[in-house]
Amino acid sequence: MKKEFVVIGLGRFGGSVCKELHRLGHQVLAIDIKEEKVNAVLTDSTKAVIADASREEVLKLLGVGNFDYAVVAIGDNMQASIMCTLLLKEMGVRNVWVKAQNANHKKVLAKIGADRVIQPEYDMGIRVANQIQSGKLQEYIELSEEYSISELDISKRLANKTLNELNIRAKYGCTILAIKNEEKVNISPSAEDKLYEGDMIVVIGKNNDIKRLEEKGL
């Protein structure tokens, strides 16, 4: 289903979001105060506009309040980012995702109603660090400071055993969401489903429990 997005701030992050949403077939209004950045997405957006999105009259003129989704990716002006986010929420935009420069910026954005705050470099750094420190961890998604979702390789030692035999939830407090291999993804596997060498399991749990599972269970 096609959706309508407004992307404000067209630097490396915002520009990438804009281009990918447009490639996926969605309607995208792209906004930036700098002409060269707007020109860079002319063919990768539905409409691209040079404008100051921190001004209420500009957002109203562009009809931004009619959009259900907004991405604020203003990277070099924290005040403009905060003002733009506040205006979007006051205008009734239901889903506003915002790029934050740092932890303090993130706190302010959360307090004024941003639905999701992203720190791309920080988030990617966490994912890379978690992947590189473990030979078994293939993917890592932080849900909060305490919980995450991880993809873990199945060792030869666990191959040909059922989930019931392994009893991972009881032993480590982690819930298996799926079993993956080259051919398919088994969503919500049953207790009798068997694991094979080369499989990966997708688990959700507390970070400490997932770490214990990596180090002792696999």
Side-chain angles (χ1 to χ4, degrees), residues 71-216:
V71 178
V72 180
I74 300 172
D76 56 357
N77 189 329
M78 191 182 300
Q79 182 176 339
S81 167
I82 292 168
M83 181 57 66
C84 180
T85 303
L86 185 60
L87 290 171
L88 289 169
K89 294 308 296 183
E90 288 181 345
M91 293 170 67
V93 180
R94 289 191 302 168
N95 298 283
V96 180
W97 289 37
V98 192
K99 176 186 176 183
Q101 293 182 23
N102 52 48
N104 289 332
H105 189 194
K106 182 176 182 177
K107 287 179 183 178
V108 174
L109 292 169
K111 286 184 179 296
I112 63 173
D115 298 284
R116 177 78 178 268
V117 182
I118 312 133
Q119 291 180 265
E121 295 85 359
Y122 175 81
D123 294 340
M124 182 55 71
I126 289 175
R127 291 175 67 179
V128 170
N130 277 274
Q131 288 173 350
I132 203 168
Q133 64 90 33
S134 170
K136 298 170 184 173
L137 182 62
Q138 296 298 321
E139 185 58 275
Y140 173 88
I141 301 172
E142 184 181 34
L143 299 177
S144 69
E145 290 184 0
E146 191 175 1
Y147 289 89
S148 61
I149 296 175
S150 299
E151 288 184 0
L152 302 166
D153 286 330
I154 293 300
S155 67
K156 195 171 186 178
R157 182 170 61 85
L158 302 185
N160 301 310
K161 294 183 180 179
T162 66
L163 298 185
N164 187 49
E165 290 172 323
L166 295 173
N167 206 14
I168 285 174
R169 183 167 187 174
K171 291 179 180 177
Y172 300 100
C174 299
T175 299
I176 297 178
L177 302 177
I179 301 171
K180 297 175 63 176
N181 56 43
E182 292 182 357
E183 298 179 358
K184 64 180 182 179
V185 178
N186 179 0
I187 303 295
S188 298
S190 72
E192 299 308 314
D193 283 327
K194 190 175 289 189
L195 296 175
Y196 298 95
E197 189 176 0
D199 284 352
M200 287 190 295
I201 52 173
V202 181
V203 301
I204 184 171
K206 290 185 177 181
N207 297 329
N208 288 339
D209 290 338
I210 292 176
K211 188 174 182 180
R212 281 197 307 117
L213 173 60
E214 288 178 55
E215 294 176 348
K216 299 179 180 180

